[in-house]
Amino acid sequence: MSNLDFSGMFSEDTRNFFRSPVRDIFKRVDLNKIYSFAGGYPSADTFPLDTFGDIMQRVLEREGAAAFQYGATQGVTKLREAISKRYGVPVANVQITSSSQQGIDVCTRVLVDPGDVILAFNPTYLGALQSFRSYRADVVGVAAKSDIDDFEKEWRKTIEKCLSDGKKIKFLYAVADFQNPSGETLTLGQRKVLVKLAAEYGFIIIEDAPYRELRYEGSDIPTLYSLDPEHVAHLGSFSKIMAPGFRLGWIIANEQILDRIYVCKQALDLCPPVFDQYVAEEFLSSGALDANLKKSVELYRSKRDLMLRTLEEVMPGKVRWTHPDGGLFLFLTLPEGFDAVKFYDKALDAGVAYVAGQFFHTDGVSGKNTMRLNFSFMSHSRIVEGIKLLGKLLDEVL
Amino acid sequence: MSNLDFSGMFSEDTRNFFRSPVRDIFKRVDLNKIYSFAGGYPSADTFPLDTFGDIMQRVLEREGAAAFQYGATQGVTKLREAISKRYGVPVANVQITSSSQQGIDVCTRVLVDPGDVILAFNPTYLGALQSFRSYRADVVGVAAKSDIDDFEKEWRKTIEKCLSDGKKIKFLYAVADFQNPSGETLTLGQRKVLVKLAAEYGFIIIEDAPYRELRYEGSDIPTLYSLDPEHVAHLGSFSKIMAPGFRLGWIIANEQILDRIYVCKQALDLCPPVFDQYVAEEFLSSGALDANLKKSVELYRSKRDLMLRTLEEVMPGKVRWTHPDGGLFLFLTLPEGFDAVKFYDKALDAGVAYVAGQFFHTDGVSGKNTMRLNFSFMSHSRIVEGIKLLGKLLDEVL
């Protein structure tokens, strides 16, 4: 270890960095030795290894050296075209990112100065909060009201408050489909309110949609982007429809935003991984993606159903949880006074991991009595065993 | 195109973004249709496609699903261990990056606030300048003096001037081996001066070493990192010793710096591409990297020699150039009054591309009479043809 103290050398931004408690869990324990409801990991069963191998061979033969050379900053043209076709948007509006986390980060970088307001649902995705806070944004959270008038009223009140405080609202961040961590989905009415407010008050919406294609019941609801392509930047991800190890995502947005992102990305990392982009393109265009997605949806639906059934069986009466129509998570609410952060060490000692809901709240302290449970990662039998164990532990303290 | 004007929405940082003129050249012309001395592209002949295919197959079989799951933020342990072993540094001091450009960017992010000074050699790597300026750093350039006393005096004078102006110096950026764009290498004496100054004045040195292993003559000189592991962060790259399409690099640095980078990278992109890291590890550990590097060095040496010979033959007498011991570039100096930016359109119309030296200067205006020429990308015959064409064009105007 160094004898020198560099602590005075770091940028102001670093003072606002905060560590992911999820990633810190992974440093502490071996995921395979505990019941882990903590991560947002897809099931390894959804990675079609043979297909990946075949596709890699095809890309090697077809693209040759071009797959290993520097690529365009916007991403490989073929992949941008495939995404353009799949989602019905112009190629010029598609930028490939080195992970959808980078999509969140680069949007924040080009839009937000310290003190600017980012509006977010409470609770919201932890990785987004990490990025927002690292740029010293003023993240203002709003809990979604189920009544549509209350929903609009609450947002309007929050926006007016920010403006009367002299603050500049840059964007609203929303996971419209199967929100991380709550598992909840915005209704069409709620989406229309959001785009109306964005146009009225002149802010942008960052629609983060990594789970959108993992729907287990009900019908697709139009994306925020489709309701207002001018005000919405839509972030897609290959992590849940292909595999996270490729670290590939995309941004669909208007050209003014994409132009800044393009120049920013030159300095960030020049371009996304090139071979991986060709593999993603072939996976998508060959139909392998849709075939695999269909299987993933069936698998995850059965896991969700099993978890819901098991919760019903074993959880103490005072515990409530969400019923997600898709995605990877559901959200538990325990009686007032329960502290999921404090309870965490006890749970981990007993061999079960979750993420305390508090970490997903914009103020970092609300939601003490909540926890996020993932149902995609573990096998069916381990889901049952893990939920039973968690139920037993909760029963002892409630 | 949008009717809305978002120009007031962007962050202060975006006002300092500047586009890579190199990448803009690639948008304008098809590289295969002109004589391109512009990019910093390795030769496609150095990508061992069959070996890559075999290694990918081995990784698929050996690592299975783990190669496609989320990975550790620090990088895959095996790859960090392989780098640790190759370069004789502790594993704890190795962070994998999603490109060495990301290494530059993330170091700047965690160290620099707007107005902080970054010291750099003049001329210096354009991609580093893009990143530095995007964080609104005050980039102060110094031309390297060949006399060692003058070298130290010039740096000391510059440092003292910054300090007397009340500025905070965060780091000195140096490509010690085969500098981009000049092709020049710092002597051991010069390196010792730099680490002495870093310790004396308490700043960090970012040693960017993407070309270090591409040496065509002479012997290795100790890295800045080896001279002072506390004050130096060393950036490595797989782009020139394997292939740039993987977008992988690494940082070797003290744990105080790496800890900030670790937390920052969680928000940037969670982790580097996982499958690619396993491929890089196998490429390195199996010995394929060294075997391939040996061939690359021979190929590039012959291209460098050919370019030097051809320049000697065809360039007007007033033109001077550097003699690089390694790397990918040499640097031309034309008579005072020549403007390489203005000349550029004429050259491109005639079918030959270079990068004007002015873009590599910290003030953005010096070095008008210079240009960078790459000798790695094109075939031997096209190097000769291209240099002859450039010589003819220059002959007409000089």
Side-chain angles (χ1 to χ4, degrees), chain A residues 2 4 11 19 23 68 70 73 109 230 240 245 256 259 276, chain B residues 2 4 11 19 23 68 70 73 109 130 230 240 245 256 259 276:
Chain A
S2 172
L4 299 169
S11 64
R19 281 156 200 286
R23 300 226 130 214
F68 300 98
Y70 286 107
T73 301
R109 175 90 201 280
E230 288 306 323
K240 275 81 187 185
Q256 292 181 65
D259 185 61
D276 293 350
Chain B
S2 171
L4 299 169
S11 64
R19 282 157 200 284
R23 300 226 128 213
F68 301 98
Y70 286 107
T73 301
R109 176 89 201 281
Q130 278 189 288
E230 287 306 322
K240 275 80 186 185
Q256 293 180 65
D259 185 61
D276 293 351

PDB file of all heavy atoms in Angstrom, chain A residues 2 4 11 19 23 68 70 73 109 230 240 245 256 259 276, chain B residues 2 4 11 19 23 68 70 73 109 130 230 240 245 256 259 276:
ATOM      1  N   SER A   2       0.343   2.291  -0.541  1.00  0.00           N
ATOM      2  CA  SER A   2       1.077   3.540  -0.681  1.00  0.00           C
ATOM      3  C   SER A   2       1.200   4.288   0.643  1.00  0.00           C
ATOM      4  O   SER A   2       0.302   4.256   1.473  1.00  0.00           O
ATOM      5  CB  SER A   2       0.317   4.417  -1.665  1.00  0.00           C
ATOM      6  OG  SER A   2       0.876   5.688  -1.704  1.00  0.00           O
ATOM      7  N   LEU A   4       1.840   7.483   0.379  1.00  0.00           N
ATOM      8  CA  LEU A   4       1.440   8.825  -0.027  1.00  0.00           C
ATOM      9  C   LEU A   4      -0.066   8.962   0.083  1.00  0.00           C
ATOM     10  O   LEU A   4      -0.800   8.007  -0.117  1.00  0.00           O
ATOM     11  CB  LEU A   4       1.872   9.058  -1.479  1.00  0.00           C
ATOM     12  CG  LEU A   4       3.377   8.981  -1.731  1.00  0.00           C
ATOM     13  CD1 LEU A   4       3.656   8.953  -3.215  1.00  0.00           C
ATOM     14  CD2 LEU A   4       4.078  10.159  -1.061  1.00  0.00           C
ATOM     15  N   SER A  11     -11.132  14.587  -8.169  1.00  0.00           N
ATOM     16  CA  SER A  11     -12.088  15.591  -8.640  1.00  0.00           C
ATOM     17  C   SER A  11     -13.286  15.685  -7.688  1.00  0.00           C
ATOM     18  O   SER A  11     -13.577  14.757  -6.931  1.00  0.00           O
ATOM     19  CB  SER A  11     -12.571  15.225 -10.046  1.00  0.00           C
ATOM     20  OG  SER A  11     -13.279  13.995 -10.019  1.00  0.00           O
ATOM     21  N   ARG A  19     -20.736   3.548  -4.024  1.00  0.00           N
ATOM     22  CA  ARG A  19     -20.520   2.179  -4.428  1.00  0.00           C
ATOM     23  C   ARG A  19     -21.835   1.451  -4.575  1.00  0.00           C
ATOM     24  O   ARG A  19     -22.731   1.647  -3.774  1.00  0.00           O
ATOM     25  CB  ARG A  19     -19.736   1.449  -3.324  1.00  0.00           C
ATOM     26  CG  ARG A  19     -18.316   1.727  -3.334  1.00  0.00           C
ATOM     27  CD  ARG A  19     -17.694   1.502  -1.968  1.00  0.00           C
ATOM     28  NE  ARG A  19     -16.458   2.234  -1.944  1.00  0.00           N
ATOM     29  CZ  ARG A  19     -15.372   1.832  -2.595  1.00  0.00           C
ATOM     30  NH1 ARG A  19     -15.355   0.685  -3.223  1.00  0.00           N
ATOM     31  NH2 ARG A  19     -14.294   2.575  -2.586  1.00  0.00           N
ATOM     32  N   ARG A  23     -22.931  -4.743  -6.201  1.00  0.00           N
ATOM     33  CA  ARG A  23     -21.609  -5.224  -6.612  1.00  0.00           C
ATOM     34  C   ARG A  23     -20.738  -5.524  -5.392  1.00  0.00           C
ATOM     35  O   ARG A  23     -19.874  -6.386  -5.439  1.00  0.00           O
ATOM     36  CB  ARG A  23     -20.927  -4.207  -7.532  1.00  0.00           C
ATOM     37  CG  ARG A  23     -21.726  -3.947  -8.811  1.00  0.00           C
ATOM     38  CD  ARG A  23     -20.881  -3.962 -10.066  1.00  0.00           C
ATOM     39  NE  ARG A  23     -21.512  -4.843 -11.034  1.00  0.00           N
ATOM     40  CZ  ARG A  23     -20.859  -5.604 -11.905  1.00  0.00           C
ATOM     41  NH1 ARG A  23     -19.560  -5.597 -11.948  1.00  0.00           N
ATOM     42  NH2 ARG A  23     -21.518  -6.396 -12.719  1.00  0.00           N
ATOM     43  N   PHE A  68     -12.216  -6.978 -36.489  1.00  0.00           N
ATOM     44  CA  PHE A  68     -11.216  -6.785 -35.436  1.00  0.00           C
ATOM     45  C   PHE A  68     -10.518  -5.425 -35.530  1.00  0.00           C
ATOM     46  O   PHE A  68      -9.677  -5.101 -34.707  1.00  0.00           O
ATOM     47  CB  PHE A  68     -10.197  -7.924 -35.462  1.00  0.00           C
ATOM     48  CG  PHE A  68     -10.848  -9.253 -35.247  1.00  0.00           C
ATOM     49  CD1 PHE A  68     -11.173 -10.071 -36.316  1.00  0.00           C
ATOM     50  CD2 PHE A  68     -11.209  -9.652 -33.966  1.00  0.00           C
ATOM     51  CE1 PHE A  68     -11.825 -11.284 -36.118  1.00  0.00           C
ATOM     52  CE2 PHE A  68     -11.861 -10.862 -33.755  1.00  0.00           C
ATOM     53  CZ  PHE A  68     -12.176 -11.679 -34.838  1.00  0.00           C
ATOM     54  N   TYR A  70     -10.592  -1.080 -35.803  1.00  0.00           N
ATOM     55  CA  TYR A  70     -11.388  -0.012 -35.213  1.00  0.00           C
ATOM     56  C   TYR A  70     -12.690   0.128 -35.990  1.00  0.00           C
ATOM     57  O   TYR A  70     -12.733  -0.086 -37.204  1.00  0.00           O
ATOM     58  CB  TYR A  70     -10.636   1.324 -35.294  1.00  0.00           C
ATOM     59  CG  TYR A  70      -9.492   1.455 -34.326  1.00  0.00           C
ATOM     60  CD1 TYR A  70      -8.171   1.389 -34.757  1.00  0.00           C
ATOM     61  CD2 TYR A  70      -9.728   1.673 -32.980  1.00  0.00           C
ATOM     62  CE1 TYR A  70      -7.110   1.527 -33.870  1.00  0.00           C
ATOM     63  CE2 TYR A  70      -8.668   1.808 -32.079  1.00  0.00           C
ATOM     64  CZ  TYR A  70      -7.369   1.734 -32.529  1.00  0.00           C
ATOM     65  OH  TYR A  70      -6.329   1.863 -31.650  1.00  0.00           O
ATOM     66  N   THR A  73     -17.627   5.259 -34.610  1.00  0.00           N
ATOM     67  CA  THR A  73     -18.050   5.661 -33.269  1.00  0.00           C
ATOM     68  C   THR A  73     -19.550   5.416 -33.058  1.00  0.00           C
ATOM     69  O   THR A  73     -19.977   5.051 -31.959  1.00  0.00           O
ATOM     70  CB  THR A  73     -17.704   7.150 -33.035  1.00  0.00           C
ATOM     71  OG1 THR A  73     -16.290   7.314 -33.196  1.00  0.00           O
ATOM     72  CG2 THR A  73     -18.096   7.609 -31.641  1.00  0.00           C
ATOM     73  N   ARG A 109     -23.975  12.758 -18.934  1.00  0.00           N
ATOM     74  CA  ARG A 109     -22.780  13.570 -19.189  1.00  0.00           C
ATOM     75  C   ARG A 109     -23.060  14.734 -20.130  1.00  0.00           C
ATOM     76  O   ARG A 109     -22.595  15.846 -19.914  1.00  0.00           O
ATOM     77  CB  ARG A 109     -21.689  12.658 -19.781  1.00  0.00           C
ATOM     78  CG  ARG A 109     -20.427  13.347 -20.222  1.00  0.00           C
ATOM     79  CD  ARG A 109     -19.409  13.432 -19.106  1.00  0.00           C
ATOM     80  NE  ARG A 109     -18.436  14.481 -19.335  1.00  0.00           N
ATOM     81  CZ  ARG A 109     -17.372  14.383 -20.141  1.00  0.00           C
ATOM     82  NH1 ARG A 109     -17.127  13.237 -20.752  1.00  0.00           N
ATOM     83  NH2 ARG A 109     -16.558  15.393 -20.302  1.00  0.00           N
ATOM     84  N   GLU A 230     -39.381  13.242 -30.257  1.00  0.00           N
ATOM     85  CA  GLU A 230     -38.535  14.415 -30.109  1.00  0.00           C
ATOM     86  C   GLU A 230     -38.016  14.577 -28.685  1.00  0.00           C
ATOM     87  O   GLU A 230     -36.865  14.928 -28.469  1.00  0.00           O
ATOM     88  CB  GLU A 230     -39.301  15.694 -30.499  1.00  0.00           C
ATOM     89  CG  GLU A 230     -39.532  15.833 -31.980  1.00  0.00           C
ATOM     90  CD  GLU A 230     -38.238  15.735 -32.774  1.00  0.00           C
ATOM     91  OE1 GLU A 230     -37.200  16.232 -32.313  1.00  0.00           O
ATOM     92  OE2 GLU A 230     -38.275  15.122 -33.856  1.00  0.00           O
ATOM     93  N   LYS A 240     -30.351  -8.487 -21.678  1.00  0.00           N
ATOM     94  CA  LYS A 240     -31.415  -9.401 -21.264  1.00  0.00           C
ATOM     95  C   LYS A 240     -32.053 -10.152 -22.428  1.00  0.00           C
ATOM     96  O   LYS A 240     -32.839 -11.067 -22.212  1.00  0.00           O
ATOM     97  CB  LYS A 240     -32.474  -8.634 -20.472  1.00  0.00           C
ATOM     98  CG  LYS A 240     -32.148  -8.483 -18.990  1.00  0.00           C
ATOM     99  CD  LYS A 240     -31.179  -7.361 -18.716  1.00  0.00           C
ATOM    100  CE  LYS A 240     -30.753  -7.350 -17.243  1.00  0.00           C
ATOM    101  NZ  LYS A 240     -29.898  -6.198 -16.945  1.00  0.00           N
ATOM    102  N   GLY A 245     -22.680 -10.332 -21.054  1.00  0.00           N
ATOM    103  CA  GLY A 245     -21.230 -10.352 -21.233  1.00  0.00           C
ATOM    104  C   GLY A 245     -20.747  -9.637 -22.481  1.00  0.00           C
ATOM    105  O   GLY A 245     -19.572  -9.320 -22.606  1.00  0.00           O
ATOM    106  N   GLN A 256     -29.999  15.887 -32.459  1.00  0.00           N
ATOM    107  CA  GLN A 256     -29.295  16.898 -31.652  1.00  0.00           C
ATOM    108  C   GLN A 256     -28.619  16.238 -30.449  1.00  0.00           C
ATOM    109  O   GLN A 256     -27.477  16.552 -30.112  1.00  0.00           O
ATOM    110  CB  GLN A 256     -30.274  17.964 -31.141  1.00  0.00           C
ATOM    111  CG  GLN A 256     -30.845  18.841 -32.238  1.00  0.00           C
ATOM    112  CD  GLN A 256     -31.795  19.885 -31.672  1.00  0.00           C
ATOM    113  OE1 GLN A 256     -31.401  20.767 -30.927  1.00  0.00           O
ATOM    114  NE2 GLN A 256     -33.071  19.776 -32.026  1.00  0.00           N
ATOM    115  N   ASP A 259     -25.819  13.741 -31.672  1.00  0.00           N
ATOM    116  CA  ASP A 259     -24.598  14.380 -32.147  1.00  0.00           C
ATOM    117  C   ASP A 259     -23.646  14.664 -30.975  1.00  0.00           C
ATOM    118  O   ASP A 259     -22.447  14.421 -31.081  1.00  0.00           O
ATOM    119  CB  ASP A 259     -24.924  15.678 -32.880  1.00  0.00           C
ATOM    120  CG  ASP A 259     -23.678  16.300 -33.483  1.00  0.00           C
ATOM    121  OD1 ASP A 259     -23.055  15.637 -34.330  1.00  0.00           O
ATOM    122  OD2 ASP A 259     -23.311  17.422 -33.079  1.00  0.00           O
ATOM    123  N   ASP A 276     -18.060  -8.119 -31.321  1.00  0.00           N
ATOM    124  CA  ASP A 276     -19.299  -8.340 -30.570  1.00  0.00           C
ATOM    125  C   ASP A 276     -20.515  -7.731 -31.278  1.00  0.00           C
ATOM    126  O   ASP A 276     -21.618  -8.288 -31.237  1.00  0.00           O
ATOM    127  CB  ASP A 276     -19.192  -7.739 -29.168  1.00  0.00           C
ATOM    128  CG  ASP A 276     -18.167  -8.469 -28.300  1.00  0.00           C
ATOM    129  OD1 ASP A 276     -17.687  -9.541 -28.716  1.00  0.00           O
ATOM    130  OD2 ASP A 276     -17.850  -7.968 -27.211  1.00  0.00           O
TER     131      ASP A 276
ATOM    132  N   SER B   2     -35.500  17.490 -36.221  1.00  0.00           N
ATOM    133  CA  SER B   2     -36.355  18.053 -35.187  1.00  0.00           C
ATOM    134  C   SER B   2     -36.624  19.528 -35.431  1.00  0.00           C
ATOM    135  O   SER B   2     -35.780  20.255 -35.947  1.00  0.00           O
ATOM    136  CB  SER B   2     -35.645  17.887 -33.845  1.00  0.00           C
ATOM    137  OG  SER B   2     -36.328  18.596 -32.859  1.00  0.00           O
ATOM    138  N   LEU B   4     -37.549  21.226 -32.775  1.00  0.00           N
ATOM    139  CA  LEU B   4     -37.261  21.767 -31.448  1.00  0.00           C
ATOM    140  C   LEU B   4     -35.784  22.079 -31.336  1.00  0.00           C
ATOM    141  O   LEU B   4     -34.951  21.398 -31.917  1.00  0.00           O
ATOM    142  CB  LEU B   4     -37.649  20.734 -30.386  1.00  0.00           C
ATOM    143  CG  LEU B   4     -39.126  20.351 -30.380  1.00  0.00           C
ATOM    144  CD1 LEU B   4     -39.350  19.141 -29.496  1.00  0.00           C
ATOM    145  CD2 LEU B   4     -39.981  21.521 -29.909  1.00  0.00           C
ATOM    146  N   SER B  11     -24.947  20.157 -21.303  1.00  0.00           N
ATOM    147  CA  SER B  11     -24.065  20.497 -20.184  1.00  0.00           C
ATOM    148  C   SER B  11     -22.933  21.411 -20.637  1.00  0.00           C
ATOM    149  O   SER B  11     -22.600  21.471 -21.825  1.00  0.00           O
ATOM    150  CB  SER B  11     -23.486  19.214 -19.578  1.00  0.00           C
ATOM    151  OG  SER B  11     -22.661  18.556 -20.517  1.00  0.00           O
ATOM    152  N   ARG B  19     -14.515  17.582 -32.068  1.00  0.00           N
ATOM    153  CA  ARG B  19     -14.575  16.397 -32.904  1.00  0.00           C
ATOM    154  C   ARG B  19     -13.180  15.971 -33.305  1.00  0.00           C
ATOM    155  O   ARG B  19     -12.344  16.816 -33.591  1.00  0.00           O
ATOM    156  CB  ARG B  19     -15.335  16.724 -34.187  1.00  0.00           C
ATOM    157  CG  ARG B  19     -16.782  16.762 -34.019  1.00  0.00           C
ATOM    158  CD  ARG B  19     -17.443  17.602 -35.095  1.00  0.00           C
ATOM    159  NE  ARG B  19     -18.750  17.969 -34.599  1.00  0.00           N
ATOM    160  CZ  ARG B  19     -19.770  17.116 -34.577  1.00  0.00           C
ATOM    161  NH1 ARG B  19     -19.638  15.914 -35.083  1.00  0.00           N
ATOM    162  NH2 ARG B  19     -20.916  17.475 -34.065  1.00  0.00           N
ATOM    163  N   ARG B  23     -11.417  11.043 -37.135  1.00  0.00           N
ATOM    164  CA  ARG B  23     -12.674  10.294 -37.329  1.00  0.00           C
ATOM    165  C   ARG B  23     -13.563  10.981 -38.360  1.00  0.00           C
ATOM    166  O   ARG B  23     -14.337  10.318 -39.048  1.00  0.00           O
ATOM    167  CB  ARG B  23     -13.402  10.106 -35.994  1.00  0.00           C
ATOM    168  CG  ARG B  23     -12.569   9.337 -34.955  1.00  0.00           C
ATOM    169  CD  ARG B  23     -13.340   8.253 -34.245  1.00  0.00           C
ATOM    170  NE  ARG B  23     -12.581   7.011 -34.338  1.00  0.00           N
ATOM    171  CZ  ARG B  23     -13.120   5.802 -34.427  1.00  0.00           C
ATOM    172  NH1 ARG B  23     -14.412   5.639 -34.406  1.00  0.00           N
ATOM    173  NH2 ARG B  23     -12.371   4.735 -34.540  1.00  0.00           N
ATOM    174  N   PHE B  68     -20.433 -15.175 -20.712  1.00  0.00           N
ATOM    175  CA  PHE B  68     -21.492 -14.320 -21.246  1.00  0.00           C
ATOM    176  C   PHE B  68     -22.307 -13.631 -20.161  1.00  0.00           C
ATOM    177  O   PHE B  68     -23.229 -12.884 -20.433  1.00  0.00           O
ATOM    178  CB  PHE B  68     -22.400 -15.128 -22.181  1.00  0.00           C
ATOM    179  CG  PHE B  68     -21.624 -15.707 -23.324  1.00  0.00           C
ATOM    180  CD1 PHE B  68     -21.181 -17.025 -23.291  1.00  0.00           C
ATOM    181  CD2 PHE B  68     -21.285 -14.910 -24.405  1.00  0.00           C
ATOM    182  CE1 PHE B  68     -20.422 -17.546 -24.335  1.00  0.00           C
ATOM    183  CE2 PHE B  68     -20.529 -15.414 -25.452  1.00  0.00           C
ATOM    184  CZ  PHE B  68     -20.099 -16.735 -25.422  1.00  0.00           C
ATOM    185  N   TYR B  70     -22.648 -11.189 -16.589  1.00  0.00           N
ATOM    186  CA  TYR B  70     -21.985  -9.993 -16.070  1.00  0.00           C
ATOM    187  C   TYR B  70     -20.669 -10.400 -15.418  1.00  0.00           C
ATOM    188  O   TYR B  70     -20.563 -11.477 -14.834  1.00  0.00           O
ATOM    189  CB  TYR B  70     -22.855  -9.312 -14.997  1.00  0.00           C
ATOM    190  CG  TYR B  70     -24.049  -8.579 -15.543  1.00  0.00           C
ATOM    191  CD1 TYR B  70     -25.341  -9.085 -15.392  1.00  0.00           C
ATOM    192  CD2 TYR B  70     -23.900  -7.369 -16.209  1.00  0.00           C
ATOM    193  CE1 TYR B  70     -26.452  -8.398 -15.893  1.00  0.00           C
ATOM    194  CE2 TYR B  70     -24.997  -6.673 -16.705  1.00  0.00           C
ATOM    195  CZ  TYR B  70     -26.268  -7.190 -16.538  1.00  0.00           C
ATOM    196  OH  TYR B  70     -27.348  -6.518 -17.038  1.00  0.00           O
ATOM    197  N   THR B  73     -16.316  -5.691 -11.998  1.00  0.00           N
ATOM    198  CA  THR B  73     -16.006  -4.346 -12.486  1.00  0.00           C
ATOM    199  C   THR B  73     -14.502  -4.174 -12.741  1.00  0.00           C
ATOM    200  O   THR B  73     -14.094  -3.499 -13.686  1.00  0.00           O
ATOM    201  CB  THR B  73     -16.510  -3.289 -11.485  1.00  0.00           C
ATOM    202  OG1 THR B  73     -17.917  -3.455 -11.320  1.00  0.00           O
ATOM    203  CG2 THR B  73     -16.234  -1.869 -11.960  1.00  0.00           C
ATOM    204  N   ARG B 109     -11.497  11.835 -15.484  1.00  0.00           N
ATOM    205  CA  ARG B 109     -12.749  12.008 -14.742  1.00  0.00           C
ATOM    206  C   ARG B 109     -12.529  12.014 -13.234  1.00  0.00           C
ATOM    207  O   ARG B 109     -13.106  12.824 -12.523  1.00  0.00           O
ATOM    208  CB  ARG B 109     -13.708  10.872 -15.130  1.00  0.00           C
ATOM    209  CG  ARG B 109     -15.026  10.835 -14.382  1.00  0.00           C
ATOM    210  CD  ARG B 109     -16.091  11.666 -15.073  1.00  0.00           C
ATOM    211  NE  ARG B 109     -17.143  12.035 -14.152  1.00  0.00           N
ATOM    212  CZ  ARG B 109     -18.134  11.242 -13.764  1.00  0.00           C
ATOM    213  NH1 ARG B 109     -18.248  10.038 -14.283  1.00  0.00           N
ATOM    214  NH2 ARG B 109     -19.038  11.650 -12.896  1.00  0.00           N
ATOM    215  N   GLN B 130      -8.891  15.384 -26.615  1.00  0.00           N
ATOM    216  CA  GLN B 130     -10.368  15.410 -26.660  1.00  0.00           C
ATOM    217  C   GLN B 130     -10.938  15.172 -25.279  1.00  0.00           C
ATOM    218  O   GLN B 130     -11.855  15.851 -24.830  1.00  0.00           O
ATOM    219  CB  GLN B 130     -10.883  14.303 -27.579  1.00  0.00           C
ATOM    220  CG  GLN B 130     -10.872  14.643 -29.053  1.00  0.00           C
ATOM    221  CD  GLN B 130     -11.597  13.555 -29.833  1.00  0.00           C
ATOM    222  OE1 GLN B 130     -11.083  12.450 -29.982  1.00  0.00           O
ATOM    223  NE2 GLN B 130     -12.787  13.842 -30.316  1.00  0.00           N
ATOM    224  N   GLU B 230       4.310   4.722  -7.362  1.00  0.00           N
ATOM    225  CA  GLU B 230       3.341   5.475  -6.576  1.00  0.00           C
ATOM    226  C   GLU B 230       2.745   6.637  -7.350  1.00  0.00           C
ATOM    227  O   GLU B 230       1.545   6.904  -7.262  1.00  0.00           O
ATOM    228  CB  GLU B 230       3.991   6.017  -5.293  1.00  0.00           C
ATOM    229  CG  GLU B 230       4.250   4.952  -4.251  1.00  0.00           C
ATOM    230  CD  GLU B 230       2.999   4.155  -3.913  1.00  0.00           C
ATOM    231  OE1 GLU B 230       1.904   4.728  -3.856  1.00  0.00           O
ATOM    232  OE2 GLU B 230       3.130   2.921  -3.727  1.00  0.00           O
ATOM    233  N   LYS B 240      -2.944  -2.706 -30.174  1.00  0.00           N
ATOM    234  CA  LYS B 240      -1.819  -2.823 -31.091  1.00  0.00           C
ATOM    235  C   LYS B 240      -1.061  -4.141 -30.926  1.00  0.00           C
ATOM    236  O   LYS B 240      -0.205  -4.457 -31.746  1.00  0.00           O
ATOM    237  CB  LYS B 240      -0.874  -1.638 -30.930  1.00  0.00           C
ATOM    238  CG  LYS B 240      -1.283  -0.424 -31.736  1.00  0.00           C
ATOM    239  CD  LYS B 240      -2.384   0.384 -31.081  1.00  0.00           C
ATOM    240  CE  LYS B 240      -2.863   1.515 -31.974  1.00  0.00           C
ATOM    241  NZ  LYS B 240      -3.841   2.375 -31.299  1.00  0.00           N
ATOM    242  N   GLY B 245     -10.428  -4.088 -32.374  1.00  0.00           N
ATOM    243  CA  GLY B 245     -11.858  -4.374 -32.346  1.00  0.00           C
ATOM    244  C   GLY B 245     -12.344  -4.966 -31.033  1.00  0.00           C
ATOM    245  O   GLY B 245     -13.541  -4.984 -30.767  1.00  0.00           O
ATOM    246  N   GLN B 256      -5.166   3.701  -4.378  1.00  0.00           N
ATOM    247  CA  GLN B 256      -5.997   4.885  -4.118  1.00  0.00           C
ATOM    248  C   GLN B 256      -6.657   5.368  -5.402  1.00  0.00           C
ATOM    249  O   GLN B 256      -7.843   5.708  -5.421  1.00  0.00           O
ATOM    250  CB  GLN B 256      -5.156   6.030  -3.540  1.00  0.00           C
ATOM    251  CG  GLN B 256      -4.619   5.757  -2.150  1.00  0.00           C
ATOM    252  CD  GLN B 256      -3.796   6.933  -1.633  1.00  0.00           C
ATOM    253  OE1 GLN B 256      -4.321   8.017  -1.429  1.00  0.00           O
ATOM    254  NE2 GLN B 256      -2.514   6.724  -1.443  1.00  0.00           N
ATOM    255  N   ASP B 259      -9.157   2.605  -6.756  1.00  0.00           N
ATOM    256  CA  ASP B 259     -10.408   2.510  -6.022  1.00  0.00           C
ATOM    257  C   ASP B 259     -11.436   3.502  -6.571  1.00  0.00           C
ATOM    258  O   ASP B 259     -12.603   3.157  -6.753  1.00  0.00           O
ATOM    259  CB  ASP B 259     -10.175   2.755  -4.532  1.00  0.00           C
ATOM    260  CG  ASP B 259     -11.445   2.546  -3.732  1.00  0.00           C
ATOM    261  OD1 ASP B 259     -11.962   1.410  -3.759  1.00  0.00           O
ATOM    262  OD2 ASP B 259     -11.942   3.514  -3.124  1.00  0.00           O
ATOM    263  N   ASP B 276     -14.752 -11.237 -24.511  1.00  0.00           N
ATOM    264  CA  ASP B 276     -13.528 -10.666 -25.086  1.00  0.00           C
ATOM    265  C   ASP B 276     -12.356 -10.729 -24.111  1.00  0.00           C
ATOM    266  O   ASP B 276     -11.213 -10.932 -24.520  1.00  0.00           O
ATOM    267  CB  ASP B 276     -13.762  -9.202 -25.490  1.00  0.00           C
ATOM    268  CG  ASP B 276     -14.743  -9.069 -26.650  1.00  0.00           C
ATOM    269  OD1 ASP B 276     -15.105 -10.102 -27.249  1.00  0.00           O
ATOM    270  OD2 ASP B 276     -15.154  -7.944 -26.952  1.00  0.00           O
TER     271      ASP B 276
END
